[in-house]
Amino acid sequence: MKHHCNRDLFVSELNDLLNNPEIQRMAGYEQHQGNTTLQHVLNVAMVSFRIADRLGLDIDERALAKGAVLHDFYLYNIPETGLSDYRHGVSHPELAVRNAKKVMSLNKKEENIIRSHMWPLTLFHPPQSKEAVVVMMADKYCAVREMVFRKKTV
Ligand SMILES: [Fe+2]
Ligand SMILES: [Fe+2]
């Protein structure tokens, strides 16, 4: 059977993103009980790849890496904003898209991966690709691990 997911390509896309100083700014923000946002998005990227690989999906490695790394590119500490969890939950995907577009170009698929990751909370922005479904699932899985089980890495 053909093996669809190219790990080397995914890891090299991931490294390009993580070497970007703008993306490194996520290391300065906390989420999920003491984890940095950068560590969280890296966890989501690795889990996303693992899910896609396990399911034998023919994925777009570049879009998956960009969508996973940029999905929480909102650049603030939630408690300092005074936003309720609900307000943060519904508003940060759009902000992440806006911030990401200041740093690099996004195609429609990449934008939708970021925009839809909180679905079904953001009811009118459902995932529209297998990459978006995978990132949405990986984010929920990682959030539970990081919050409930205090696991910082995957
Ligand atoms: Fe998020
Ligand atoms: Fe997230």
Side-chain angles (χ1 to χ4, degrees):
M1 198 175 93
K2 181 177 176 285
H3 202 252
H4 289 296
C5 293
N6 185 331
R7 178 176 292 273
D8 291 344
L9 178 56
F10 182 75
V11 169
S12 102
E13 294 290 349
L14 202 55
N15 279 329
D16 283 354
L17 291 160
L18 295 176
N19 284 330
N20 184 322
E22 289 297 319
I23 286 174
Q24 284 287 337
R25 288 176 65 197
M26 282 189 280
Y29 300 99
E30 265 196 19
Q31 67 173 41
H32 301 161
Q33 322 281 351
N35 220 358
T36 68
T37 303
L38 188 65
Q39 182 64 55
H40 165 71
V41 300
L42 180 58
N43 291 347
V44 170
M46 295 317 293
V47 169
S48 294
F49 185 85
R50 229 183 269 167
I51 293 171
D53 193 42
R54 202 71 70 76
L55 296 177
L57 299 177
D58 185 9
I59 47 143
D60 177 340
E61 285 82 357
R62 184 176 165 78
L64 188 69
K66 282 172 78 178
V69 168
L70 294 165
H71 85 274
D72 275 343
F73 195 46
Y74 53 80
L75 302 173
Y76 55 72
N77 284 318
I78 303 163
E80 289 165 15
T81 62
L83 287 172
S84 67
D85 285 347
Y86 176 77
R87 272 320 306 166
H88 165 74
V90 293
S91 63
H92 78 273
E94 195 180 340
L95 179 59
V97 168
R98 230 181 305 141
N99 288 343
K101 282 181 168 176
K102 290 178 194 163
V103 176
M104 64 186 71
S105 63
L106 296 178
N107 64 31
K108 283 283 153 222
K109 179 188 279 192
E110 292 157 355
E111 180 172 337
N112 175 258
I113 297 172
I114 301 169
R115 191 67 186 83
S116 67
H117 82 270
M118 290 299 286
W119 194 81
L121 193 63
T122 53
L123 199 56
F124 301 109
H125 295 278
Q128 289 171 342
S129 63
K130 49 191 177 247
E131 291 84 357
V133 172
V134 162
V135 169
M136 179 198 74
M137 293 193 303
D139 183 46
K140 288 171 176 59
Y141 171 80
C142 289
V144 169
R145 273 179 62 92
E146 292 164 19
M147 280 191 285
V148 182
F149 301 107
R150 308 284 168 103
K151 304 268 192 211
K152 287 199 164 45
T153 57
V154 289

